[in-house]
């Protein structure tokens, strides 16, 4: 990927950090626009990576896209104020932003656009999140001159995630975990595999105009994932499944607390449909994208265990 310029929007987040590390490792030149460059200092240490101050929702994106071979959009939010058919934060992040990026790609002559959607994206889905993600896919295909590749991952895990880490931290302080939608099913995929899927798609012209559902090698209920997070972090707690009405009340209370809610009513709506893919499709997708799926049990203990985190710190400190 020498002399290959990629502009990564939303690149200073969890998935973006892993993806940009892989792109930089292959010699790509990577531009990362962000409103808060001070939060992307870890990226500037990578070879060929340039962090630029930009407001993606307002600034002219064409100049930074000039000469690029591809644009990647990872911008996304998990929560929004309620609205019809979805809230304003979802509309801005999942629909308006990709529409702006793709239009700028067309104006700048960028031929490829890789778009992060979500497994379960559905214009008639039960949640605002799913409906906005579906409309975002429509926006991603709005410019015929720009070949879009769309990825729909299940929940993504790995060092720095806000999923297993959240449940591990909860069990550090709580005597038990009351859990809504405990039987909802997920197919977690390792962040390194997601990043590799994006990088390999850039190499392969056959992935143009394709949609790829991404899931890991195993399916778990939400309760099983919470228990694993507790066990791997050495703070296992009892997990108590809540009836639907109590779960919805719990989510409503979380929404009223300051900061980002641990769970929202819209999250519960998303979990009305299991977040899994057909095993045959999963195997075909992994083969097409050239990725070998990583088991959760092979990675999660290493970043959830407090002992392993301390040992890793000591190793990096040379002690």
């Amino acid at each position: 990927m020498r002399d290959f310029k990629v502009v990564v929007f939303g690149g200073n987040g969890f998935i973006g950090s892993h993806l940009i590390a892989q792109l930089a490792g292959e010699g790509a030149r990577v531009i990362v626009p962000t409103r808060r460059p001070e939060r992307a200092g870890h990226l500037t240490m990578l070879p060929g990576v340039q962090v630029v101050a930009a407001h993606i929702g307002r600034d002219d994106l064409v100049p930074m896209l000039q000469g690029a071979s591809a644009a990647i959009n990872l911008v996304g939010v998990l929560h929004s104020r309620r609205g019809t058919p979805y809230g304003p934060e979802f509309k801005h992040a999942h629909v308006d932003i990709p529409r702006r990026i793709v239009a700028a790609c067309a104006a700048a002559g960028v031929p490829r656009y890789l778009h992060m959607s979500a497994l379960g994206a559905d214009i008639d889905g039960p949640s605002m999140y799913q409906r906005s993600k579906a409309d975002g896919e429509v926006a991603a295909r709005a410019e015929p001159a720009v070949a879009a590749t769309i990825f729909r991952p299940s929940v993504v895990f790995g060092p720095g995630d806000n999923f297993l880490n959240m449940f591990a931290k909860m069990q550090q302080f709580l005597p038990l975990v009351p859990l809504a939608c405990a039987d909802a099913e997920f197919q977690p995929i390792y962040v390194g595999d997601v990043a590799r899927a994006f990088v390999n798609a850039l190499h392969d012209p056959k992935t143009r105009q394709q949609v790829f559902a991404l899931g890991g090698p195993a399916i778990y209920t939400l309760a099983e994932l919470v228990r694993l997070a507790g066990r791997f972090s050495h703070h296992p707690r009892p997990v108590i499944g809540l009836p639907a009405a109590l779960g919805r009340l719990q989510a409503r209370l979380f929404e009223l607390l300051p900061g980002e809610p641990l769970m929202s009513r819209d999250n519960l709506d998303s979990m009305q449909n299991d977040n899994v893919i057909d095993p045959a499709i999963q195997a075909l997708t992994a083969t097409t994208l050239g990725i070998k799926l990583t088991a959760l049990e092979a990675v999660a203990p290493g970043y959830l265990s407090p002992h392993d985190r301390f040992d890793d710190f000591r190793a990096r400190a040379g002690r």
Side-chain angles (χ1 to χ4, degrees):
M1 298 184 77
R2 303 292 172 185
D3 301 320
F4 192 93
K5 175 182 173 182
V6 186
V7 182
V8 182
F9 298 92
N12 60 329
F14 162 55
I15 296 175
S17 297
H18 289 265
L19 171 57
I20 290 169
Q22 291 199 22
L23 289 169
E26 297 202 0
R29 179 188 170 204
V30 185
I31 308 297
V32 186
T34 174
R35 278 192 294 168
R36 299 180 178 88
E38 68 278 3
R39 297 186 179 180
H42 61 291
L43 298 177
T44 61
M45 301 174 65
L46 298 170
V49 176
Q50 180 184 3
V51 176
V52 298
H55 192 305
I56 302 171
R58 297 176 186 170
D59 294 348
D60 183 3
L61 306 181
V62 175
M64 71 180 69
L65 285 163
Q66 294 285 356
S69 300
I72 297 175
N73 178 26
L74 304 174
V75 176
V77 295
L78 290 175
H79 307 291
S80 178
R81 288 169 289 163
R82 301 182 76 79
T84 304
Y86 36 77
E89 291 83 3
F90 283 148
K91 181 178 184 299
H92 175 70
H94 297 164
V95 185
D96 296 342
I97 292 284
R99 184 180 291 120
R100 292 193 87 243
I101 295 173
V102 172
C105 285
V110 179
R112 295 291 307 277
Y113 171 72
L114 275 59
H115 180 79
M116 178 66 83
S117 185
L119 195 61
D122 183 351
I123 199 167
D124 296 315
S127 73
M128 298 189 297
Y129 177 84
Q130 292 167 327
R131 295 192 292 272
S132 66
K133 280 292 190 179
D135 279 348
E137 293 185 7
V138 175
R141 301 186 184 100
E143 296 289 344
V146 182
T149 303
I150 294 171
F151 297 88
R152 296 174 177 170
S154 183
V155 64
V156 182
F157 71 92
D161 71 44
N162 288 321
F163 184 67
L164 292 181
N165 271 302
M166 177 185 71
F167 290 123
K169 290 175 183 175
M170 287 174 62
Q171 292 175 83
Q172 184 177 354
F173 300 104
L174 297 178
L176 56 86
V177 180
L179 189 66
C181 297
D183 294 329
E185 291 187 337
F186 294 86
Q187 199 164 348
I189 183 165
Y190 176 50
V191 64
D193 297 340
V194 174
R196 179 47 52 186
F198 272 76
V199 173
N200 288 356
L202 288 173
H203 290 297
D204 188 353
K206 295 193 297 295
T207 63
R208 295 168 182 248
Q209 311 292 8
Q210 299 298 311
V211 178
F212 295 102
L214 300 177
I219 295 172
Y220 306 83
T221 65
L222 183 59
E224 289 171 336
L225 290 170
V226 174
R227 291 188 183 101
L228 286 174
R231 178 157 62 88
F232 295 153
S233 63
H234 304 173
H235 296 288
R237 303 290 188 239
V239 177
I240 310 299
L242 295 177
L246 277 181
R248 202 154 190 87
L249 176 60
Q250 181 192 57
R252 176 57 178 156
L253 293 174
F254 282 146
E255 290 174 10
L256 296 175
L257 296 175
E260 286 287 313
L262 293 175
M263 182 79 69
S264 70
R265 288 170 291 171
D266 196 65
N267 297 151
L268 299 187
D269 292 338
S270 291
M271 287 189 282
Q272 298 309 305
N273 296 332
D274 290 331
N275 203 242
V276 300
I277 59 178
D278 183 275
I281 294 175
Q282 173 221 45
L284 178 62
T285 298
T287 300
T288 301
L289 293 172
I291 57 176
K292 184 178 180 181
L293 297 174
T294 305
L296 183 146
E297 288 84 353
V299 176
Y303 70 89
L304 292 178
S305 168
H307 299 298
D308 289 345
R309 287 199 298 269
F310 180 65
D311 290 343
D312 179 61
F313 171 79
R314 287 195 305 175
R316 285 186 281 111
R319 297 177 181 176

